[in-house]
Amino acid sequence: MKIVVIGTGYVGLPHAAVLSEYGHEVYAYDIDETRIKAYQTGEAEAIERYVNEPGLADVVAENLGRYLFFTTDINEVVEDTDVFFFCINTPPQRDGSTDLSYYLDAAHHLADLLAQRANPSRVVLVNKSTVPIGTARLLESVMHEYGVKNVGVASNPEFLAQGNAVEGSRRPDRVVVGADTEEDLEALRRLYSQFVNHVRIRYLETTPETAEAIKYMSNTLLLTYISFWNGVGARLAEAMPNIRMEDLKIGVTSDARISTWGSYVSNGAGGSCFGKDIQSLIYQLNRAGRSTDLLQAVYGINEYQKTYLIDRAVHEARFSFNQKTVALLGLAFKKRTNDMRDSAALRVVESLLARGVRAIRAYDPLAMDEARRNWFNPDKNHLFERISYHDTAKEAMTGSDAMYISTDWEEFRGLTRTIQTTVKPPYLVMDGRRMLPDFEKLVDAGYVYLPVGGPLMSGSDKDNAKSSDGRGVVAIAHRDVRQVG
Ligand code: NAD
Ligand code: UGA
């Protein structure tokens, strides 16, 4: 089949690349010329500057010019295309509603071209973007407005997680296709023939509105589950004596009905979608006059979690950030990506700067260019001049008064020794990801350890078997600290 993928970001590029592996003729179209030029080189470095996903550059290089083509001119491919996928960004607006302007620009442009198309064969327009319930119907009305003939609309939400985009596209848990007519459902069955009747992958056909709702329900349920662990599990282990976070997790998730995914407590779930999608669902339900108490609570817990450790450092460790230098380890919203959208690190930096830190010494194995270019540009906020970037975690912590671990990069699990050889106690280690399995060595040596999901630990507390909040809470070490993510 001939396919056009509109929008070549984290969803569109992997989707186009993996479809091309199945022998479809795939044209990946984007309005961003520099991005398309980078993809056209087929070079890993150029591709990864935009979408850094394991294995993706190889799939692009293998199929480039054979089954996979990149273009900034959709006009030249409209004539005999069977299926168009919308993989366009749908960011949140201030009031939580979804900004559909990018999506609608593309929809109107395409409608204009399709209205002039000579080829009478049917065209199916498929939303992979996460869009408010009713958007497929809106797309249909745009097509009718332009007089486009023989067109069907469908919703086929994307469920991949970043860092696993290629595998997530090749072997998703499920494929959800919402369409109105048997003809359109059949076109998508042909397109996705590798998934239909698959023994493990569920192929669900439904209405466009149900498919759209499934996407919002899925993301908000996942965030609700993470927030349950952050808002209840972590709080218990921080506040009550002698509770081991990791044992709590094992004990609760040993029930086959309860997943371990999401039980990794953290400094808040980031990424481009959880926050925006829950806000959008709140907005959509409010507009329908329905209660959103649960969703609002979940959103609030997650936002609070992003700077909670800094508040704890001030109140429990009595640490003053004013004029201090803080090493920030991890900028990406999770490991194995350079994406910083809604990353906890953004809120951490905001909070540290508001508390008057003199300098932030940042390190991230993948996201430093992204941080410099798109998030902490000193031209936009002169306070960002206080952020410097370093090639290693050790270099970042050199000369600092405290450190904050924000991302669950594997390499941070070995930091204990680096801390001991680089900075002197009493030095505050804020661990937003529970990354230090041997933190007791630090505590024994006089460092102050403040993890999410655990009490403040310092040498003196340990001697007294008390936490430093003075409420007589016994600070027992959590021996089995495992990695988040
Ligand atoms: P992205 O910002 O990485 O990519 C969007 C691309 O669309 C950009 O390259 C942009 O230039 C392009 N674009 C914008 N307007 C255009 C237009 N008029 N014509 C052509 N191209 C245009 O976004 P993303 O992360 O890939 O997300 C895309 C959608 O998929 C969103 O709705 C998101 O909620 C959803 N989603 C994302 C993920 C994820 O992991 N990132 C997972 C599931 C669903
Ligand atoms: C998430 C969903 O997992 C995907 O199914 C969905 O398609 C996607 O959003 C989307 O719609 O964009 P993603 O944002 O890539 O995927 O990343 P996740 O792996 O879900 O992690 C999100 C955040 O939650 C990260 O900050 C991660 O560190 C955090 N997290 C995850 C936890 O804090 N604890 C956990 O146990 C798991």
Side-chain angles (χ1 to χ4, degrees):
M1 293 174 90
K2 183 165 171 181
I3 295 155
V4 170
V5 173
I6 306 175
T8 59
Y10 285 89
V11 167
L13 184 61
H15 182 58
V18 170
L19 279 177
S20 77
E21 289 191 297
Y22 290 92
H24 298 295
E25 188 182 345
V26 184
Y27 290 82
Y29 157 71
D30 205 294
I31 45 170
D32 181 345
E33 282 185 24
T34 53
R35 183 184 280 265
I36 290 295
K37 279 200 180 112
Y39 297 159
Q40 280 167 336
T41 66
E43 285 166 16
E45 203 182 313
I47 295 166
E48 287 167 1
R49 202 172 314 133
Y50 293 93
V51 182
N52 199 321
E53 284 288 335
L56 179 61
D58 289 342
V59 184
V60 171
E62 273 159 31
N63 294 289
L64 189 64
R66 297 192 315 133
Y67 295 108
L68 180 61
F69 308 88
F70 292 100
T71 181
T72 51
D73 184 6
I74 194 173
N75 202 1
E76 65 179 16
V77 289
V78 162
E79 192 52 32
D80 50 357
T81 293
D82 305 297
V83 178
F84 291 85
F85 281 98
F86 286 81
C87 300
I88 288 178
N89 42 319
T90 52
Q93 311 202 86
R94 256 176 209 286
D95 61 1
S97 63
T98 303
D99 179 357
L100 282 178
S101 60
Y102 304 95
Y103 170 85
L104 286 174
D105 278 354
H108 282 273
H109 185 204
L110 184 60
D112 192 25
L113 297 175
L114 286 175
Q116 298 163 44
R117 177 172 133 137
N119 184 347
S121 66
R122 192 162 178 86
V123 173
V124 190
L125 311 181
V126 188
N127 284 335
K128 252 201 176 303
S129 292
T130 304
V131 285
I133 298 154
T135 304
R137 208 58 70 201
L138 176 67
L139 182 62
E140 188 174 44
S141 69
V142 171
M143 294 301 140
H144 289 164
E145 193 187 309
Y146 283 76
V148 179
K149 303 269 178 338
N150 206 8
V151 65
V153 294
S155 167
N156 168 221
E158 179 57 67
F159 299 100
L160 66 77
Q162 282 175 227
N164 193 37
V166 172
E167 274 311 290
S169 300
R170 283 179 179 154
R171 275 172 280 279
D173 306 317
R174 78 289 215 191
V175 175
V176 175
V177 174
D180 295 315
T181 68
E182 176 52 30
E183 197 179 0
D184 296 337
L185 289 169
E186 176 53 27
L188 288 162
R189 265 177 235 137
R190 270 195 292 137
L191 177 84
Y192 285 137
S193 58
Q194 74 273 26
F195 301 136
V196 179
N197 297 324
H198 193 283
V199 284
R200 198 193 50 78
I201 298 167
R202 176 164 288 172
Y203 192 87
L204 174 67
E205 295 181 344
T206 182
T207 67
E209 287 78 1
T210 312
E212 289 164 344
I214 285 170
K215 178 62 194 176
Y216 281 102
M217 283 281 291
S218 300
N219 269 7
T220 50
L221 181 58
L222 293 173
L223 183 60
T224 302
Y225 188 59
I226 292 175
S227 296
F228 176 80
W229 279 98
N230 279 337
V232 182
R235 288 301 94 84
L236 280 171
E238 287 155 7
M240 308 281 180
N242 217 6
I243 293 182
R244 294 183 184 170
M245 188 67 233
E246 274 60 38
D247 292 349
L248 197 61
K249 204 166 73 181
I250 293 166
V252 174
T253 62
S254 296
D255 183 329
R257 294 168 300 180
I258 298 177
S259 100
T260 51
W261 187 96
S263 68
Y264 298 95
V265 297
S266 66
N267 54 340
S272 59
C273 295
F274 279 165
K276 100 171 154 57
D277 291 348
I278 196 166
Q279 287 182 81
S280 175
L281 191 55
I282 290 170
Y283 183 88
Q284 293 176 57
L285 281 168
N286 277 339
R287 284 203 43 164
R290 303 298 150 135
S291 141
T292 54
D293 297 355
L294 174 66
L295 297 178
Q296 288 187 44
V298 168
Y299 179 70
I301 288 166
N302 193 51
E303 288 305 296
Y304 177 66
Q305 193 72 7
K306 291 180 183 168
T307 52
Y308 175 63
L309 262 189
I310 293 177
D311 293 342
R312 284 183 69 202
V314 172
H315 295 115
E316 292 177 31
R318 305 267 177 253
F319 189 85
S320 164
F321 286 95
N322 194 29
Q323 289 304 308
K324 295 282 172 30
T325 295
V326 179
L328 175 58
L329 302 189
L331 296 165
F333 82 96
K334 65 174 186 179
K335 64 185 173 186
R336 296 192 208 128
T337 179
N338 64 343
D339 194 349
M340 288 182 59
R341 289 178 290 181
D342 225 0
S343 172
L346 299 174
R347 300 289 314 284
V348 169
V349 164
E350 186 184 286
S351 172
L352 291 175
L353 291 174
R355 291 174 187 281
V357 292
R358 181 175 43 217
I360 297 173
R361 296 172 64 84
Y363 166 72
D364 186 291
L366 273 189
M368 293 200 287
D369 275 353
E370 174 68 8
R372 267 194 220 106
R373 257 190 301 145
N374 297 327
W375 300 98
F376 303 135
N377 182 344
D379 295 341
K380 294 199 178 130
N381 179 347
H382 70 94
L383 289 178
F384 292 151
E385 281 163 9
R386 295 185 192 178
I387 306 174
S388 57
Y389 300 90
H390 302 273
D391 289 339
T392 59
K394 183 177 175 68
E395 195 186 308
M397 71 179 84
T398 303
S400 63
D401 304 293
M403 70 185 263
Y404 189 108
I405 304 175
S406 185
T407 311
D408 50 334
W409 287 108
E410 322 279 2
E411 65 177 80
F412 295 159
R413 288 175 59 73
L415 275 180
T416 303
R417 207 182 119 66
T418 317
I419 293 170
Q420 285 179 307
T421 56
T422 313
V423 285
K424 289 202 165 47
Y427 175 92
L428 174 65
V429 178
M430 292 165 281
D431 187 352
R433 296 289 189 153
R434 298 181 67 75
M435 292 304 287
L436 307 186
D438 47 358
F439 66 89
E440 275 190 304
K441 284 189 192 151
L442 288 178
V443 178
D444 286 344
Y447 294 87
V448 182
Y449 183 64
L450 182 63
V452 63
L456 175 79
M457 296 284 295
S458 69
S460 58
D461 290 332
K462 211 172 173 225
D463 294 343
N464 301 332
K466 294 233 168 113
S467 75
S468 74
D469 65 0
R471 287 177 299 177
V473 177
V474 181
I476 299 294
H478 298 179
R479 275 158 221 287
D480 184 22
V481 177
R482 292 199 191 99
Q483 166 198 355
V484 174

